[in-house]
Amino acid sequence: MQREPVEAYIGLGANLGDPMAVLRQALGRLAELPHTEVLRASGLYGSTPVDSSGPDYVNAVACVRTRLTATALLSALQAQENQAGRERPYRNAPRTLDLDVLLYGSARMAGPVLTVPHPRMTERAFVLMPLAEIAPDLVSATQLAAVRDQGIWRLAG
């Protein structure tokens, strides 16, 4: 029996190496995941590090339709991070690639490996702005107003 497809939203970020190129490549690789297709992707946004250090980040959000379970999707995303040279020396360390499951259909789950919806997504302009671009019904004006003072800007190209 095959699983019904689910729309999931993936947050993408990077601030080491060539983050714009890395994110473009990562968006392309999302379409290569098994049983997954990319439906929409936001433009790229620049943001200052939040609870972190290092260079500014490049961020985006993608919507995929997948038959993968939420944990299988996370595992596939983490494999992509590892292939991009992601290291985790400490919490919120600068990174070559960060891929987060933000939403997985209407699922709500909290576990040691994955929490959906992402627990801090509504606190971060670098998630809400690109999410609002591709799914405006998922982000309220109140949420956007609450993060408007965070350093974020739309990047050309």
Side-chain angles (χ1 to χ4, degrees):
M1 183 170 141
Q2 196 168 27
R3 297 178 50 84
E4 287 296 314
V6 172
E7 275 193 19
Y9 289 85
I10 310 299
L12 300 92
N15 75 332
L16 296 177
D18 184 350
M20 289 180 78
V22 168
L23 259 57
R24 286 188 184 108
Q25 181 180 26
L27 285 165
R29 293 187 67 211
L30 288 177
E32 298 171 5
L33 294 176
H35 313 291
T36 302
E37 67 176 311
V38 176
L39 301 178
R40 296 178 297 286
S42 73
L44 301 178
Y45 290 78
S47 66
T48 56
V50 175
D51 298 330
S52 183
S53 61
D56 290 340
Y57 277 83
V58 175
N59 301 98
V61 171
C63 176
V64 300
R65 180 179 296 130
T66 186
R67 292 183 187 274
L68 297 174
T69 65
T71 53
L73 178 60
L74 178 64
S75 292
L77 296 176
Q78 289 175 337
Q80 285 191 7
E81 289 176 342
N82 292 338
Q83 289 172 351
R86 169 85 187 260
E87 296 179 1
R88 292 172 168 81
Y90 54 89
R91 182 173 164 82
N92 295 326
R95 53 205 67 168
T96 53
L97 180 62
D98 184 29
L99 301 170
D100 290 323
V101 178
L102 303 173
L103 299 165
Y104 185 82
S106 60
R108 296 196 172 280
M109 59 185 82
V113 176
L114 178 62
T115 299
V116 174
H118 190 284
R120 292 170 302 284
M121 68 180 264
T122 60
E123 302 168 6
R124 296 178 168 168
F126 65 81
V127 172
L128 292 179
M129 295 290 290
L131 180 60
E133 179 185 328
I134 63 171
D137 56 315
L138 295 179
V139 181
S140 73
T142 303
Q143 289 172 320
L144 289 172
V147 299
R148 74 172 169 254
D149 293 335
Q150 293 178 10
I152 184 166
W153 55 94
R154 179 73 189 255
L155 296 169

